[in-house]
């Protein structure tokens, strides 16, 4: 089993940590609902939350599709993220930190929430990003996926009260951050992003 699959199966981020005594799953149990030939590609839980069967089924289908397609290497994805952020007026170090945290520049990454690709954009956010840029974006496409993520970041940076709040909004949702404050995992996410930015400046 490779590190990416182990992390996904256990709801871990590639840049996160494991600890002595922590139990890791090496196989996943089938998701509830209608059986699918793709059902074991993506786990159904993340950070203790179990996602609805239809969301996990869609995530597994997208994972199967991405597995069947040629995708850019991690190095190529880094170049795409940097260039796209520059073109769209977003600090490339921020966009690259988000991509690193979300997927490790692995465009085949799909989460149990059906967050897709390098920038880990869920379909509803992809629709919003399409409206922001004025054209239909295909989250499976590496370039469109990055455009979607960067467009969302740009919008959050314009709307949020601070850069930290914008980063938190990418993870938790800006409305939730404003209503509830940053959850503990969101605060960790923001700290990780800011630390990762230093690698890409």
């Amino acid at each position: 089993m490779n590190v990416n699959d182990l992390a996904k199966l256990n709801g871990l981020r590639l840049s996160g940590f494991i600890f002595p005594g922590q139990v890791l799953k090496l196989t996943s149990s089938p998701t509830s609902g209608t059986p699918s030939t793709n059902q074991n590609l993506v786990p159904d839980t993340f950070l203790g939350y179990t996602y609805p069967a239809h969301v996990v089924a869609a995530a597994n289908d997208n994972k199967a599709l991405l597995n069947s397609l040629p995708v850019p290497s991690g190095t190529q994805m880094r170049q795409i993220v940097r260039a796209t952020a520059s073109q769209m007026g977003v600090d490339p170090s921020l966009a690259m930190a988000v991509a690193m945290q979300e997927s490790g520049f692995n465009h085949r990454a799909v989460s149990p929430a059906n967050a897709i690709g390098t920038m880990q954009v869920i379909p509803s956010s992809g629709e919003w990003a399409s409206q922001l840029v004025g054209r239909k974006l295909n989250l499976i496409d590496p370039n469109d996926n990055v455009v979607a993520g960067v467009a969302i970041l740009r919008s959050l940076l314009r709307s949020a009260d601070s850069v930290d709040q914008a980063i938190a909004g990418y993870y938790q949702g800006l409305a939730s951050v404003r209503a509830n404050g940053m959850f503990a995992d969101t605060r960790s996410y923001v700290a990780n992003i800011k630390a990762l930015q230093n690698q890409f400046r």
Side-chain angles (χ1 to χ4, degrees):
M1 176 178 286
N2 64 44
V3 174
N4 286 336
D5 290 341
L6 183 66
K8 287 183 183 66
L9 184 60
N10 288 276
L12 303 170
R13 294 186 177 275
L14 290 176
S15 56
F17 299 93
I18 58 174
F19 304 96
Q22 182 175 351
V23 177
L24 298 177
K25 293 189 293 185
L26 299 180
T27 60
S28 61
S29 57
T31 59
S32 58
T34 305
S36 164
T37 56
N38 302 324
Q39 69 182 9
N40 293 319
L41 297 175
V42 178
D44 62 358
T45 59
F46 178 70
L47 293 178
Y49 178 78
T50 300
Y51 287 85
H54 72 279
V55 174
V56 179
N60 276 292
D61 288 342
N62 283 322
K63 177 70 172 177
L65 177 57
L66 282 166
N67 283 349
S68 73
L69 297 171
V71 298
S73 67
T75 299
Q76 290 169 322
M77 285 310 312
R78 287 172 185 244
Q79 294 167 348
I80 291 169
V81 174
R82 183 177 290 280
T84 302
S86 295
Q87 291 164 6
M88 295 179 68
V90 171
D91 181 348
S93 71
L94 175 58
M96 294 184 74
V98 169
M100 180 66 187
Q101 176 72 21
E102 292 287 342
S103 69
F105 297 100
N106 173 17
H107 191 64
R108 289 196 173 100
V110 181
S111 80
N114 198 23
I116 300 165
T118 302
M119 301 302 289
Q120 289 291 278
V121 181
I122 62 173
S124 59
S125 294
E127 292 296 328
W128 174 39
S130 294
Q131 294 171 11
L132 291 173
V133 301
R135 67 180 179 86
K136 179 69 175 174
L137 296 171
N138 175 8
L139 298 179
I140 298 296
D141 177 86
N143 292 289
D144 275 7
N145 185 281
V146 174
V147 168
V150 173
I152 291 167
L153 267 177
R154 183 174 64 183
S155 179
L156 290 168
L157 289 164
R158 291 172 176 172
S159 302
D161 299 330
S162 66
V163 173
D164 282 14
Q165 191 182 66
I167 295 169
Y170 195 92
Y171 178 80
Q172 183 180 322
L174 186 55
S176 175
V177 172
R178 284 178 166 156
N180 307 300
M182 293 186 202
F183 301 141
D185 56 325
T186 304
R187 289 194 296 273
S188 296
Y189 180 88
V190 172
N192 287 346
I193 294 295
K194 293 171 76 174
L196 287 168
Q197 269 192 274
N198 294 326
Q199 297 182 22
F200 301 114
R201 286 197 167 106

